[in-house]
């Protein structure tokens, strides 16, 4: 099955203003670097980042001045954010679409502390970001009393070292230039991730005796790819040729439509069942006859478990958690496993996000997109002998109460044939409710389970999609929305079109299920699970909060009859080039599979 052309044909240029026309400074007439931070700004421009999302701070006032008055607030252009967490999340969302880093800047200590959860999210999601931070002058005699002292730490990078790929605190303008180029190169090289460069305020504000000699920046950021070793490809092909019940676990792959098509060819050539996961972006058409069960969130579907249990050869395309997923299928006892991944390069002693150790028979150390074409070639042109084990999934929202399933159903109808990117989905989302047919149809989750990432990540994804003809749509839980709502101001200010639909169950519902489980384990009253979890009395007017950020907002929608017309109005607002929010009151509840997994008695 291929991408459906009718859904793709509607690409139109966006009607909203060009971001580059906004926040224009008066010309400062500065065209030669004169300060340390001018050199850093030049280096940042040389990395090619179009934007730098930031919340300001005196620790980088030198750099701030260089970006405005030396570079003229272009290439990169500043995107002002109301919280560091949204600055980082916006860069994270941008990378989810483009595969490339943009920059973010955070104030010394406190700004970085605000940004940490979002950095962790990006790290776990393997998304590149160039993060610039700052410190009060390292040279103590240059520190202003009090403030520069509280904003200077011996080793600021230690705050984020466990979940960044690399960090540095360069001691001179020339070293800062080198650090920024290296930060860009490392962040954008697979396995990708955030990098952090801490710019000493003293170094930034230091007047240059002479400008450092020019360097050809691109020579210091060579594009790198890992080619699969031919013998491993041959071994994998031999295993797959013999397989009677091959399964492809399609995990962390690129947004490249060409690679998507090649993946489909591979599955069809093998007659392999394919499973996918909502933790990462769309990797395979979910309504293809070879796709087994609905994409998994935390809990794999019954069909997916059965498929894995029956597998004799499993090909993991950098699946996020092979060992953990197979645990659901009794370890897939009959399966020999091929892994294609470079993720091991990132594994460190601080974060266990590398997951359990899986028994791998053939390990191909490259990105999946690099290995699939040679693997396909090595398999030759034969026809698959296997009858695919996959069972297609169906979706019909049940009952007359407004649930997340109904929300998804109405949203799909309101969106119609428009090419749409789901930039985020709520924890209550049912993977069966929305088919993905293009790599940009779904962009994956927050990565690190950090609630509050949804709005910012979605604004960043919408920024990258602006003008693409795709409609960015996020479905956020109310808890997630409330923690990240001020990211919407950035979307409103820069006219970034985005629809956020809040699946508002007036609760941190996920944790109600956890309390239910504990109560069951301890034979205590399950009916108390809501205490300390419900967000009501007073109910929060989410639409007003969105409106206060400058977004168009609708709701609360409390009935199914209102749902489609309200969503249509909101989509019209987004198509006019602005962010819009719809607050939908949904019944608390997760999918039956997820609820069963979370509330079962024991462990
Ligand atoms: C920063 C952060 N705080 C707390 C949690 C624990 N947590 C996980 S899910 C969840 C509830 C989120 O609520 P909401 O977004 O409304 O989704 P719902 O479960 O209600 O569908 C919480 C509090 C977390 N993962 N991250
Ligand atoms: Mg909720």
């Amino acid at each position: 099955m291929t991408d459906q052309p009718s859904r793709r044909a509607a690409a139109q240029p966006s009607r909203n203003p060009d971001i580059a026309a906004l926040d224009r400074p008066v010309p400062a007439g500065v065209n030669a670097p004169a300060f340390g931070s001018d050199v850093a700004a030049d280096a940042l421009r040389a990395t090619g980042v179009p934007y730098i999302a930031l919340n300001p701070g005196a620790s980088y006032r030198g750099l701030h001045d260089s970006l405005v008055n030396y570079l003229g607030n272009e290439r990169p252009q500043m995107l002002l954010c109301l919280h560091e967490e949204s600055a980082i999340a916006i860069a994270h969302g941008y990378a989810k679409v483009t595969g490339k880093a943009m920059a973010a800047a955070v104030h010394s200590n406190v700004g970085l502390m605000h940004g940490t959860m979002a950095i962790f999210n990006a790290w776990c999601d393997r998304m590149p970001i160039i993060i610039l931070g700052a410190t009060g002058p390292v040279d103590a005699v240059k520190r202003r009393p009090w403030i520069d002292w509280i904003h200077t730490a011996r080793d600021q990078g230690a705050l984020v070292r466990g979940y960044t790929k690399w960090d540095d605190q360069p001691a001179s303008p020339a070293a800062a230039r080198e650090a920024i180029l290296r930060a860009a190169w490392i962040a954008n090289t697979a396995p990708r991730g955030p990098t952090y460069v801490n710019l000493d305020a003293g170094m930034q504000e230091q007047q240059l005796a002479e400008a450092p000699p020019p360097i050809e920046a691109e020579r210091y950021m060579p594009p790198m790819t890992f080619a699969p070793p031919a013998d491993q490809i041959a071994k994998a092909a031999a295993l797959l040729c013999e397989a009677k019940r091959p399964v492809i676990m399609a995990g962390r792959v690129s947004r490249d439509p060409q690679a998507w098509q090649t993946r489909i060819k591979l599955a069809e050539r093998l007659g392999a069942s394919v499973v996918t996961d909502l933790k990462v972006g769309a990797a395979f058409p979910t309504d293809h006859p070879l796709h087994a069960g609905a994409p998994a969130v935390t809990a794999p579907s019954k069909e997916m478990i059965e498929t894995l249990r029956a597998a004799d050869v499993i090909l993991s395309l950098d699946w996020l958690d092979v060992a953990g997923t197979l645990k659901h299928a009794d370890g897939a006892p009959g399966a020999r496993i091929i892994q294609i991944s470079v993720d091991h390069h990132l594994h460190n002693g601080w974060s266990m996000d590398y997951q359990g150790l899986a028994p791998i028979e053939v390990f191909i150390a490259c990105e999946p997109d690099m290995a699939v074409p040679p693997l396909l070639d090595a398999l030759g042109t034969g026809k698959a002998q296997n009858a695919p084990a996959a069972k297609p999934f169906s979706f019909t929202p049940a009952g007359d109460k407004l649930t997340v399933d109904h929300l998804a159903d109405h949203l799909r109808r309101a969106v119609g044939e428009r090419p749409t990117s789901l930039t985020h989905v709520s924890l209550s989302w049912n993977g069966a409710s929305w088919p993905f047919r293009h790599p940009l149809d779904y962009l994956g989750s927050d990565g690190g389970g950090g609630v509050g990432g949804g709005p910012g990540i979605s604004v960043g994804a919408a920024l990258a999609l602006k003008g693409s003809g795709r409609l960015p749509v996020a479905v956020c839980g109310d808890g997630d929305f409330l923690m990240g709502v001020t990211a919407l101001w950035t979307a409103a200010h820069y006219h970034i079109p985005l629809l956020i639909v809040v699946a508002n169950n007036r609760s941190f519902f996920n944790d109600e299920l956890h309390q239910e489980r504990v109560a069951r384990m301890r034979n205590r009253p399950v009916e108390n699970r809501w205490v300390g979890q419900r967000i009501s009395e007073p109910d929060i007017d989410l639409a007003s909060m969105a409106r206060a950020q400058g977004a168009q907002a609708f709701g609360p929608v409390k009935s199914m009859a209102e749902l489609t017309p309200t969503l249509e109005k909101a989509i019209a607002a987004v198509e006019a080039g602005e962010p819009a929010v719809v607050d939908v009151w949904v019944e608390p509840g997760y999918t039956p599979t997820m609820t069963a997994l979370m509330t079962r008695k024991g462990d």
Side-chain angles (χ1 to χ4, degrees):
M1 182 189 289
T2 55
D3 198 7
Q4 296 198 346
S6 60
R7 287 188 79 219
R8 310 283 142 237
Q12 290 161 5
S14 161
R15 277 172 281 156
N16 51 356
D18 193 356
I19 294 175
L22 303 168
D23 295 352
R24 301 312 320 142
V26 296
V30 183
N31 43 30
F35 297 92
S37 58
D38 290 345
V39 176
D42 268 336
L44 195 59
R45 176 172 282 178
T47 67
V49 292
Y51 302 109
I52 178 163
L54 57 81
N55 187 267
S59 59
Y60 72 88
R61 64 187 190 181
L63 178 72
H64 199 114
D65 170 71
S66 299
L67 293 172
V68 175
N69 290 316
Y70 174 53
L71 295 188
N73 196 23
E74 53 186 43
R75 296 178 297 120
Q77 182 176 1
M78 290 178 175
L79 300 179
L80 179 59
C81 301
L82 304 190
H83 195 295
E84 288 80 359
E85 200 170 279
S86 45
I88 305 285
I90 285 171
H92 178 179
Y94 178 88
K96 274 174 167 296
V97 174
T98 61
K100 293 214 180 82
M102 60 172 253
V106 294
H107 184 36
S108 66
N109 290 7
V110 286
L112 184 62
M113 287 169 180
H114 254 183
T116 46
M117 185 198 82
I119 298 173
F120 181 70
N121 272 347
W123 162 266
C124 292
D125 205 21
R126 307 298 186 241
M127 290 297 160
I129 306 175
I130 304 163
I131 303 163
L132 299 183
T135 170
V138 171
D139 182 354
V141 295
K142 291 193 180 135
R143 280 180 214 148
R144 294 172 296 156
W146 184 64
I147 188 75
D148 272 350
W149 288 80
I150 58 172
H151 287 168
T152 304
R154 168 86 49 229
D155 181 11
Q156 212 183 130
L159 278 174
V160 294
R161 193 161 298 134
Y163 43 97
T164 46
K165 277 188 81 180
W166 177 78
D167 72 279
D168 194 16
Q169 185 176 305
S172 70
R177 173 168 69 184
E178 192 170 311
I180 288 168
L181 298 182
R182 195 193 299 266
W185 179 63
I186 292 179
N188 284 319
T189 299
R192 295 168 191 82
T195 50
Y196 175 65
V197 179
N198 183 9
L199 301 170
D200 174 7
M203 183 281 296
Q204 294 175 57
E205 297 187 22
Q206 157 194 339
Q207 216 160 348
L208 299 176
E210 54 185 16
I215 60 169
E216 286 176 66
E218 51 304 340
R219 295 188 64 205
Y220 295 88
M221 300 180 288
M224 262 188 67
T225 45
F226 304 87
D231 58 332
Q232 300 297 80
I233 289 286
K235 269 192 199 165
L239 265 186
L240 286 163
C241 274
E242 286 166 22
K244 297 276 172 292
R245 289 172 310 280
V247 177
I248 298 175
M249 300 173 85
R252 279 184 287 229
V253 293
S254 77
R255 301 300 97 216
D256 176 10
Q258 184 81 45
W260 174 273
Q261 293 303 337
T262 316
R263 227 171 286 135
I264 296 170
K265 278 195 197 128
L266 178 68
E268 289 175 351
R269 165 67 186 82
L270 291 169
S273 300
V274 182
V275 296
T276 60
D277 184 356
L278 289 178
K279 288 195 272 305
V280 299
F284 196 82
T286 55
D287 56 359
H288 189 289
L290 289 171
H291 192 280
V297 198
T298 313
S301 64
K302 213 164 91 291
E303 295 81 1
M304 180 167 163
I305 293 171
E306 278 167 16
T307 305
L308 290 170
R309 205 178 268 141
D312 57 358
V313 176
I314 289 176
L315 173 66
S316 157
L317 305 180
D318 201 11
W319 186 263
L320 195 148
D321 178 13
V322 174
T325 306
L326 295 188
K327 241 183 172 179
H328 291 285
D330 308 323
R336 301 162 81 184
I337 302 172
I338 304 160
Q339 170 69 304
I340 306 179
S341 175
V342 286
D343 203 57
H344 49 284
H345 288 289
L346 271 199
H347 301 173
N348 68 32
W350 185 86
S351 176
M352 308 288 152
D353 68 283
Y354 46 71
Q355 311 292 334
L357 191 62
I360 307 290
E361 187 150 333
V362 180
F363 198 115
I364 304 179
C366 71
E367 287 189 88
D369 286 4
M370 291 292 290
V372 170
L375 198 49
L376 196 53
D377 286 347
L379 288 168
T381 49
K383 249 199 156 278
Q385 304 299 313
N386 322 298
K391 289 184 197 140
F393 55 86
S394 60
F395 173 71
T396 321
D400 51 10
K401 290 194 168 150
L402 206 173
T403 62
V404 178
D405 278 358
H406 289 291
L407 184 163
D409 191 40
H410 284 251
L411 185 56
R412 259 188 83 193
R413 277 189 268 144
V415 156
E417 292 299 301
R418 293 174 181 88
T420 297
S421 289
L422 280 183
T423 59
H424 185 75
V425 294
S426 60
L427 289 162
S428 48
W429 192 253
N430 177 351
S433 64
W434 196 290
F436 308 138
R437 297 167 182 150
H438 183 276
L440 286 173
D441 279 359
Y442 177 62
L443 299 175
S445 81
D446 47 49
V451 171
I457 288 170
S458 298
V459 171
L463 166 72
L465 290 168
K466 189 173 152 108
S468 69
R470 284 191 150 258
L471 177 71
V473 177
V475 178
C476 294
D478 49 327
D480 185 36
F481 179 79
L482 284 164
M483 287 195 206
V485 62
T486 59
L488 266 175
W489 178 86
T490 303
H493 181 77
Y494 296 99
H495 303 279
I496 298 168
L498 163 69
L499 173 62
I500 296 186
V501 182
V502 186
N504 182 3
N505 52 20
R506 282 91 64 218
S507 173
F508 291 107
F509 182 73
N510 180 75
D511 292 89
E512 288 199 40
L513 292 183
H514 280 292
Q515 293 320 125
E516 176 174 334
R517 182 167 178 180
V518 174
R520 279 186 204 286
M521 287 192 288
R522 297 180 178 180
N523 288 321
R524 291 176 180 175
V526 164
E527 51 277 30
N528 287 338
R529 70 176 198 184
W530 64 273
V531 178
Q533 313 277 4
R534 288 280 163 92
I535 313 171
S536 60
E537 297 176 20
D539 293 321
I540 302 179
D541 184 351
L542 302 185
S544 286
M545 291 187 78
R547 231 171 268 128
Q549 314 301 316
Q552 301 245 14
F554 306 85
V557 173
K558 296 184 182 175
S559 73
M560 265 189 278
E562 296 166 80
L563 197 46
T564 298
T566 312
L567 290 167
E568 279 168 355
K569 272 189 232 155
I571 291 169
V574 176
E575 289 190 325
E578 304 300 331
V581 172
V582 182
D583 173 12
V584 183
W585 278 30
V586 293
E587 287 294 310
Y590 282 180
T591 59
T593 326
M594 184 98 153
T595 310
L597 181 86
M598 290 181 70
T599 55
R600 74 183 185 274
K601 206 168 168 175
D603 72 337

